Amino acid sequence: MKSKQIFKENIILLVTYLIIFFFLIFQNAIYSPDTYSYLMAMPYRHLGYVIFAKSFFFIFGDYFDTAVVFFQTVFCLGSIHFIFKKINTLLQLNVILKCVLLMALIFPLFEPLSVANNICPEGISYPLYLIFIALNLEFLCNDNSKVLKYIVLCFLALVFTRGQFIFSELIFALVFIAKYKNQLFKGTRFTHLLVLIFMPILVVLGEMSYHKLKDGIFMTTPFGFVNMSSAAYYVSNKEDAKQIINDDFRSIFVQSHYELDRKNLLMSSQPNSTYEDYYGFFHNHIPQICNHTTFLTAQKYFIEKNPVQPNNPKLAIAKSYYNAEKASKAIALTLIQHNFKTWLKLFIANISYSFYSVFLLLFMVAAFTFSLIKLLGSFHKWYALLFICSALSLSNAVLIAIASHSIMRYTFYNYTFILLTLLLAFKIIRHGIKD
């Protein structure tokens, strides 16, 4: 009977995937300004999607967008099936919950995200993220060390495509420590732990090597601190210039702050309101604050200081991105330190926005704290899964809130794992711990 049910379920899934596949491939490919920046391999773009997009353009030429949509659709559906089966095996979901889980997983394929049709990193980062998590669950829950090499490869591909996941593997490393705390120095356990911990370092070195080969500078991909400085600028005051020691950075801050004030893009330019409203304005205007003002001001400053040389214009442009990133990092850290309380309130509003409710945020924090305490006390699969789902959601939301604003394009990765956190918490509360 069970084999018949599995066969029937697989047939239903296959029909569902085929319907989605044929629906999506007959939709137009979606181009955006980001698409062209990847095809042009701009210095501020991660190498993963640059290599992917340029390879497809080289191979398929005029059929580039059709080939990309076809591949991304198949890749997304394959990864959804992979993690769907893995989660169902672990949690033994009933029919209704299976349907809810599947809907949560396929939601990003449709509007407003349309990740399979959008020629942007999400088309491959979303399936890579699902595969990455499924492989880690196999590694931890089934003690299958054979998949570790695939975890490494998947992690590299994922973070080379979307840098926001660079610390994700550390969550699984903590679960590994909790599970094998009495065996860490026995056999291959310690070697496995080192692999898990040092994966982010491998990514950084690979990324810097890529930029050295392409742009001539051994640097991480710019724009992380440029984005991060946006909130710091937003809450800043003119007098903060006195706190910036470096003359170049101080000049950039003064020019940027003047422009932001002139355009009414500072918090002090807004009428007195709640921090949710302050964040709402920031959320809606971050392109004007960051891309059109602070970044352009810094880049222009460094290009004027080190003019483009006709014999090597790409190096000068790359240096302007690198120096703008360096300046933004120093300015942001100084401004945050000097305006910490104001920045922190905006930061909390930013995180709350990613969960659409402060109550859901508090629940996720409670689930994370509870599962972490339980996990460190006595390992159990249910606590480990609750910790993984809540930690993945929170860590991603926190990193996004620090680096930028919580738009759906950055936060949709969390939706399925928020759902699973709710489900796991309900199961634990109602049914207690059981294998």
Side-chain angles (χ1 to χ4, degrees):
M1 180 64 71
K2 187 174 182 180
S3 61
K4 289 183 178 180
Q5 290 177 344
I6 294 173
F7 178 77
K8 184 179 179 181
E9 178 182 295
N10 288 337
I11 292 296
I12 294 172
L13 286 172
L14 179 60
V15 172
T16 303
Y17 297 148
L18 286 174
I19 292 172
I20 295 172
F21 170 77
F22 283 110
F23 175 79
L24 293 177
I25 63 170
F26 285 109
Q27 305 299 309
N28 292 329
I30 301 171
Y31 282 80
S32 69
D34 284 2
T35 304
Y36 300 101
S37 65
Y38 283 99
L39 286 170
M40 295 170 64
M42 295 299 289
Y44 59 90
R45 293 305 183 190
H46 290 284
L47 70 153
Y49 206 74
V50 168
I51 295 172
F52 172 81
K54 290 181 79 67
S55 297
F56 268 66
F57 189 80
F58 176 77
I59 295 170
F60 296 101
D62 293 339
Y63 300 98
F64 160 74
D65 52 2
T66 303
V68 168
V69 171
F70 181 90
F71 177 85
Q72 290 184 171
T73 300
V74 173
F75 194 22
C76 285
L77 290 173
S79 67
I80 286 170
H81 181 72
F82 185 49
I83 196 167
F84 174 81
K85 285 293 188 178
K86 176 56 61 180
I87 292 173
N88 184 48
T89 300
L90 291 172
L91 301 184
Q92 294 296 305
L93 303 176
N94 60 39
V95 174
I96 295 175
L97 291 176
K98 285 180 182 179
C99 292
V100 173
L101 173 62
L102 187 61
M103 286 190 290
L105 288 168
I106 65 174
F107 164 74
L109 305 187
F110 298 95
E111 293 184 348
L113 290 163
S114 302
V115 297
N117 293 79
N118 203 338
I119 306 180
C120 275
E122 289 73 28
I124 63 172
S125 63
Y126 179 56
L128 283 170
Y129 186 59
L130 298 182
I131 294 171
F132 167 72
I133 292 171
L135 288 172
N136 274 283
L137 292 178
E138 173 68 18
F139 174 65
L140 290 169
C141 296
N142 296 332
D143 198 19
N144 185 357
S145 60
K146 293 180 181 179
V147 302
L148 186 57
K149 55 181 177 293
Y150 301 114
I151 291 174
V152 175
L153 293 174
C154 191
F155 180 76
L156 291 174
L158 172 63
V159 182
F160 281 154
T161 305
R162 292 296 308 177
Q164 71 192 74
F165 300 113
I166 191 167
F167 299 117
S168 297
E169 188 55 48
L170 299 181
I171 293 171
F172 296 102
L174 182 57
V175 175
F176 183 86
I177 292 171
K179 183 175 183 179
Y180 299 111
K181 57 187 175 184
N182 297 323
Q183 308 171 31
L184 282 179
F185 298 99
K186 297 179 181 179
T188 59
R189 299 294 188 204
F190 189 66
T191 302
H192 292 165
L193 178 61
L194 290 179
V195 172
L196 296 177
I197 292 175
F198 286 104
M199 271 195 270
I201 298 174
L202 187 61
V203 168
V204 172
L205 292 175
E207 190 176 70
M208 295 175 76
S209 300
Y210 161 77
H211 284 292
K212 178 62 177 179
L213 291 171
K214 185 178 74 71
D215 302 311
I217 305 174
F218 192 65
M219 63 177 181
T220 56
T221 301
F223 240 64
F225 283 103
V226 171
N227 282 324
M228 177 182 170
S229 68
S230 302
Y233 270 111
Y234 180 62
V235 302
S236 68
N237 299 292
K238 184 178 179 180
E239 293 74 19
D240 290 334
K242 299 175 183 177
Q243 307 298 321
I244 302 172
I245 300 173
N246 184 284
D247 292 337
D248 291 329
F249 300 167
R250 189 187 314 112
S251 296
I252 291 169
F253 170 77
V254 170
Q255 293 176 37
S256 296
H257 194 277
Y258 172 81
E259 286 298 310
L260 292 171
D261 189 31
R262 185 179 65 82
K263 297 175 182 178
N264 293 319
L265 293 174
L266 296 169
M267 181 184 287
S268 57
S269 305
Q270 311 311 310
N272 291 333
S273 189
T274 64
Y275 274 88
E276 286 74 15
D277 292 331
Y278 285 137
Y279 173 71
F281 181 88
F282 173 75
H283 179 94
N284 294 326
H285 292 84
I286 194 170
Q288 293 93 323
I289 295 171
C290 177
N291 304 57
H292 304 158
T293 306
T294 60
F295 167 68
L296 287 182
T297 300
Q299 186 188 37
K300 181 181 177 182
Y301 180 90
F302 287 113
I303 287 179
E304 289 178 351
K305 189 173 182 179
N306 302 289
V308 175
Q309 300 298 320
N311 60 329
N312 196 356
K314 288 186 178 180
L315 179 60
I317 297 297
K319 282 184 176 180
S320 71
Y321 280 99
Y322 171 76
N323 288 323
E325 175 80 350
K326 186 177 178 180
S328 297
K329 177 181 179 180
I331 292 170
L333 295 178
T334 300
L335 295 178
I336 291 172
Q337 182 180 7
H338 199 240
N339 303 283
F340 183 72
K341 289 184 179 179
T342 307
W343 176 87
L344 181 62
K345 291 177 182 177
L346 188 75
F347 169 71
I348 293 172
N350 195 350
I351 297 178
S352 298
Y353 190 91
S354 69
F355 289 98
Y356 300 99
S357 166
V358 67
F359 299 106
L360 183 55
L361 170 60
L362 292 174
F363 170 80
M364 295 298 292
V365 171
F368 168 78
T369 305
F370 170 79
S371 60
L372 177 61
I373 293 172
K374 288 291 186 179
L375 187 66
L376 295 178
S378 177
F379 181 88
H380 193 282
K381 180 182 74 174
W382 291 90
Y383 292 137
L385 291 173
L386 182 62
F387 172 77
I388 289 169
C389 291
S390 59
L392 285 172
S393 302
L394 284 171
S395 62
N396 192 33
V398 167
L399 195 59
I400 290 167
I402 291 174
S404 185
H405 57 333
S406 299
I407 58 175
M408 186 181 288
R409 181 184 174 188
Y410 300 151
T411 63
F412 78 91
Y413 301 92
N414 297 343
Y415 296 166
T416 296
F417 300 100
I418 292 172
L419 171 66
L420 289 173
T421 301
L422 292 166
L423 175 61
L424 284 161
F426 176 77
K427 278 180 169 287
I428 291 172
I429 292 171
R430 182 171 182 179
H431 302 291
I433 286 295
K434 61 181 181 179
D435 292 319

